Amino acid sequence: MTVPTITLNNGVEMPQLGFGVFQVPDAETTAAVAAALEAGYRSIDTAAVYGNEAGVGRAIAESGIARDDLFVTSKVWTSDHGYDNTLRAYDAALERLGLDRLDLYLIHWPTPAAGTYPDTWRALEKLYSEGRVRAIGVSNFEPEHLERLAVDATVVPAVNQVELHPALQNRAVIAADEVRGIVTEAWSPLAQGAVLGEAPVVEISQRHGKTPAQVVLRWHLQQGRVVIPKSVTPARIAENIDVFDFELTADELRAIDALERDGRTGPHPAEFNG
């Protein structure tokens, strides 16, 4: 299974479909990531706050896959915001993962009330300028947070990872990302299953002989986004990557577009402060 890549704004190639480990206990993470690597995933998305970077690292070490063939993302948590704290947090993340670099490092949440994300970004720019990380980006950044970042930033984020699925399409964020050349990455791309029973999704899945989850992932991919579905079930993990042998029509894409209902499953970035 070969997953297509998207070229980030600094020329780095990122697999368009990756494996997320949010809410996977560390003890289960190694087996889940091993199953993902076996199924053909080469991009793994973790974060300090998930508490499972060590589990991801174990799976990578045991896989025998060359490091250059993998794309590993982690994120700095809100309690580590600030210039010096972020630099320390990055070193700690590498130690837990057992790696000497990350492919992508993100600010996990802007936590606007604290006002510390510009200093945090400055630390990421330093890591990037020193070649210690291949790309840097943000997560859960609204248009106003991107605007504030741009005031002092010397590097444009490569990625903005946000909650995005048919029930919450985050169109203003996508537009703000596109203007800046930022790739939009969808977390919770299946809305934790909340959209899989929607009539258009079910009808389209039956038409193509695919599952509702595969249809929704295909909807994301055809609009140029990066997606990171999560599962701990090997069969589901394999199913989620088996989405490159069919294509949705323009009418089918529009039918899924019509499911927008501001159906956020996580906190609003303007209000979340860690």
Side-chain angles (χ1 to χ4, degrees):
M1 176 69 64
T2 302
V3 174
T5 60
I6 284 185
T7 304
L8 304 181
N9 57 21
N10 65 349
V12 168
E13 298 283 322
M14 179 178 187
Q16 196 180 0
L17 190 148
F19 184 67
V21 295
F22 174 56
Q23 292 180 330
V24 180
D26 190 65
E28 296 176 34
T29 296
T30 302
V33 173
L37 295 173
E38 177 71 23
Y41 294 80
R42 290 297 179 266
S43 177
I44 309 296
D45 180 277
T46 184
V49 77
Y50 299 169
N52 56 20
E53 289 169 315
V56 170
R58 285 192 296 272
I60 290 172
E62 293 166 8
S63 72
I65 297 169
R67 175 66 184 89
D68 287 348
D69 293 335
L70 297 172
F71 192 99
V72 183
T73 301
S74 195
K75 312 175 195 81
V76 57
W77 186 240
T78 58
S79 58
D80 286 319
H81 273 205
Y83 185 79
D84 292 332
N85 285 346
T86 297
L87 295 177
R88 282 192 291 269
Y90 185 74
D91 288 338
L94 291 184
E95 189 169 339
R96 288 189 293 269
L97 285 157
L99 302 176
D100 61 2
R101 73 175 190 282
L102 285 176
D103 298 283
L104 179 63
Y105 198 43
L106 307 177
I107 300 178
H108 205 151
W109 289 87
T111 57
T116 49
Y117 64 85
D119 280 341
T120 305
W121 184 250
R122 203 160 49 84
L124 265 61
E125 289 182 329
K126 177 178 171 62
L127 293 167
Y128 179 66
S129 71
E130 292 177 346
R132 300 193 60 211
V133 61
R134 295 178 67 218
I136 54 175
V138 295
S139 183
N140 301 301
F141 271 50
E142 294 286 296
E144 63 266 27
H145 307 135
L146 295 175
E147 288 171 17
R148 171 63 190 88
L149 204 64
V151 173
D152 305 309
T154 59
V155 178
V156 176
V159 170
N160 185 12
Q161 184 186 118
V162 295
E163 180 180 354
L164 207 161
H165 44 73
L168 180 78
Q169 293 175 35
N170 246 326
R171 290 166 182 161
V173 169
I174 290 173
D177 288 346
E178 285 179 349
V179 165
R180 294 168 173 82
I182 300 170
V183 167
T184 302
E185 180 177 13
W187 65 258
S188 194
L190 305 175
Q192 299 181 12
V195 297
L196 301 185
E198 295 284 351
V201 174
V202 173
E203 289 163 13
I204 294 166
S205 72
Q206 292 170 345
R207 201 176 301 142
H208 287 276
K210 289 291 186 176
T211 66
Q214 289 171 319
V215 165
V216 173
L217 292 172
R218 189 72 212 169
W219 171 80
H220 282 288
L221 294 168
Q222 285 183 223
Q223 295 177 77
R225 289 190 285 278
V226 173
V227 287
I228 45 169
K230 164 235 154 183
S231 177
V232 294
T233 308
R236 191 72 51 78
I237 290 169
E239 173 191 301
N240 286 344
I241 200 174
D242 185 20
V243 290
F244 299 104
D245 60 350
F246 75 108
E247 202 161 297
L248 303 180
T249 66
D251 284 345
E252 289 170 338
L253 292 171
R254 279 192 290 270
I256 298 173
D257 287 347
L259 296 175
E260 168 64 53
R261 55 172 182 263
D262 196 25
R264 193 179 294 278
T265 66
H268 195 290
E271 299 159 2
F272 180 78
N273 288 297

